[in-house]
Amino acid sequence: MYVNSSNKLISQFIYDMKKIYNVMPSSIENHPIYQRVKYLSKYIYDDLFKYLISFSTSDVNCEIPHIILNGKNSFKQIILQALWENEGSVSYKGRLVTGVKSLKVITQLSKLHNEFGLKHSMKCRKDGMCYLYLFTTKENYQKFIELELFLRSIITRGHNKGKEKMYVLKEHFNNKFCF
């Protein structure tokens, strides 16, 4: 199952599943602010569990597979892109924040951010939710934009609701660092 508010990301997911598994969705649900795509396939389920112990970051066993953490930068970049497009936000002041419900996973993600030179801080709440806050610097914005970590995602609520995250980020970059 995949849930997102961006039609572009939903379409990309369907395309990727067709390309990798040669299957079409079992169902697509349209809700006011998001879509949910479901696949009912034992083959896909078994294949994904070759790589992952758990799909839920609230599961204590959840972790990013070592084959990715020790693999090519292109794989690491895709993990960061998936994280930021699905769980990341850019505030009306230009603050970049993402989070998951796992200290183990956020620590792994922190290391990936370090590998790409994205400076950040990490904080966890008592309820288990953990966040990465990227520092608002010219270098971080440039790297974030170059890595295309907000390629197709949109803002779902607040001041910039409905705008593409990358557009809003570039606006902040231009306003803060390009005179």
Side-chain angles (χ1 to χ4, degrees):
M1 177 174 64
Y2 180 64
V3 178
N4 204 288
S5 57
S6 167
N7 291 333
K8 290 179 182 178
L9 286 171
I10 292 290
S11 295
Q12 183 67 52
F13 183 75
I14 292 169
Y15 172 82
D16 291 343
M17 293 296 282
K18 177 70 175 158
K19 183 177 173 184
I20 302 299
Y21 294 110
N22 196 30
V23 294
M24 293 303 290
S26 302
S27 67
I28 301 174
E29 301 170 15
N30 292 302
H31 297 270
I33 61 170
Y34 66 90
Q35 287 181 297
R36 178 181 290 130
V37 180
K38 292 182 180 179
Y39 291 85
L40 303 175
S41 168
K42 179 81 167 120
Y43 172 73
I44 294 171
Y45 178 86
D46 289 342
D47 185 55
L48 290 174
F49 270 109
K50 290 178 192 174
Y51 309 100
L52 300 167
I53 297 169
S54 172
F55 299 121
S56 172
T57 57
S58 60
D59 183 330
V60 295
N61 295 314
C62 186
E63 64 180 23
I64 301 171
H66 294 285
I67 193 167
I68 292 173
L69 293 175
N70 300 320
K72 297 178 183 178
N73 278 350
S74 59
F75 295 151
K76 297 173 188 180
Q77 183 178 349
I78 289 168
I79 292 296
L80 291 183
Q81 187 179 58
L83 169 73
W84 281 98
E85 287 194 314
N86 288 290
E87 306 301 333
S89 66
V90 55
S91 75
Y92 74 99
K93 291 184 177 183
R95 186 84 191 260
L96 293 164
V97 179
T98 189
V100 296
K101 197 166 190 173
S102 168
L103 177 58
K104 184 189 301 183
V105 173
I106 205 75
T107 301
Q108 291 177 309
L109 291 167
S110 176
K111 289 177 184 175
L112 290 181
H113 281 78
N114 287 336
E115 285 185 37
F116 284 99
L118 291 165
K119 308 291 185 212
H120 61 278
S121 63
M122 186 175 74
K123 294 181 183 155
C124 292
R125 297 188 318 210
K126 290 180 182 177
D127 67 358
M129 195 65 195
C130 297
Y131 296 93
L132 290 180
Y133 297 89
L134 267 61
F135 299 142
T136 308
T137 65
K138 182 177 183 177
E139 295 76 19
N140 262 3
Y141 273 41
Q142 284 176 318
K143 287 177 186 174
F144 196 95
I145 291 167
E146 287 169 11
L147 291 168
E148 298 181 316
L149 300 184
F150 280 155
L151 193 57
R152 297 174 193 89
S153 54
I154 61 171
I155 297 170
T156 58
R157 55 183 180 258
H159 180 74
N160 290 303
K161 182 179 178 179
K163 292 183 181 177
E164 289 189 357
K165 292 178 185 179
M166 185 61 92
Y167 172 81
V168 173
L169 179 64
K170 286 180 178 178
E171 273 189 332
H172 285 291
F173 176 78
N174 291 331
N175 290 339
K176 289 181 182 186
F177 303 112
C178 299
F179 304 107

